[in-house]
Amino acid sequence: MPSPELEIQNLKVSFSTPKGKLTAVNGISFHINSGETLALVGESGCGKTVSALSILRLLPEPPAEIISGKILFAGQDLLSLSSKQFQDLRGNAISMIFQDPMTSLNPVLTVGEQIIETLLRHTNMNRQEARKKSAELLSRVELPAPKEKLTHYPHQLSGGMRQRVMIAMALACKPRVLIADEPTTALDVLIQSQILDLLHSLKKETGMSILFITHDLGVVAEIAQRVIVMYAGEIIESGPAQALLQKPYHPYTKGLIASIPKLGARDQPGSRLEEISGNVPSLDQRPSGCPFHPRCPSVMDQCKSQAPELSQVEPERYTSCHLEPESL
Ligand code: SF4
């Protein structure tokens, strides 16, 4: 049995708002095995990013509050660490990359200064060693002319190059877990595919685990071994990536898969993407019963008042829906 590198138990996160305390993540539990890529999937507003930011304690508290739960890493509950202990860990054993590197890179410092700073903070290297290592890291993320790029400012690089710099910074201290929050969403399809290939080969080379957050189930097959689908702050389906993509159980997962563009389909006359009707509910308008019921094509009366539980439907497959597994 693979061992969990990171384990989230019953995590519940709320936000204080003028409308009262609203739940954004409602008691989710999952784990990431050592060397595994786990995809956390759902539309915007489903609670994926809040979950990830909670792991790294990057949510502003207040208004955010972690109501309950444990985040276990290397035998420690991260929620019980002091701020100082946690700062040593963040960017070191657990790193994160974001959709828009411009929000994480400092625009007034060169790329080199920023990577060197990360290395000086988390390792025993001197400045000269850190500079040499920074060029190696840029070369490792396949940035052309890495030594020269050290002297560039973020705005002098393309979006794909900036994302490579972010990955180099995240890898600087050899993290055991990399959290990647929509890292390819802002990039065009070709660059997106190159970044996915890069993450995949770096994972193989370093043995790190990746929590890959995306709204796009289309990229999951390329990168993840397992998938968790979230809706309205809850896990509504999980399972091995190939099995889940070939045979989704939950109507929401089916809708997400139906909205993936098929290769060449857009060019065929009459072909169009199927979209899930309606929107993800806002935090203050969470529907009663199954939170997906206002959008669900298979809704039944009981769905409107009774919330389904996440339960096992076959080995390694879980879903939360009132429909019998054979009719899912
Ligand atoms: Fe649809 Fe009902 Fe299943 Fe929810 S519980 S996904 S509303 S069938």
Side-chain angles (χ1 to χ4, degrees), residues 190-244:
L190 179 65
I191 308 292
Q192 179 173 321
S193 164
Q194 290 172 357
I195 296 286
L196 289 177
D197 286 348
L198 174 66
L199 284 173
H200 189 61
S201 62
L202 289 170
K203 189 199 77 160
K204 277 193 9 202
E205 192 184 312
T206 62
M208 68 183 171
S209 310
I210 300 179
L211 177 61
F212 191 91
I213 298 171
T214 180
H215 67 279
D216 181 1
L217 258 176
V219 303
V220 163
E222 289 184 50
I223 188 137
Q225 283 83 59
R226 271 191 313 128
V227 182
I228 286 175
V229 184
M230 282 188 79
Y231 190 77
E234 293 176 7
I235 293 174
I236 53 98
E237 179 153 13
S238 68
Q242 291 302 334
L244 185 140

Side-chain angles (χ1 to χ4, degrees), residues 48-59 96 98 181:
K48 313 175 305 275
T49 297
V50 172
S51 305
L53 294 175
S54 305
I55 295 172
L56 282 176
R57 286 178 33 184
L58 286 173
L59 286 174
M96 186 158 180
F98 299 88
D181 188 5

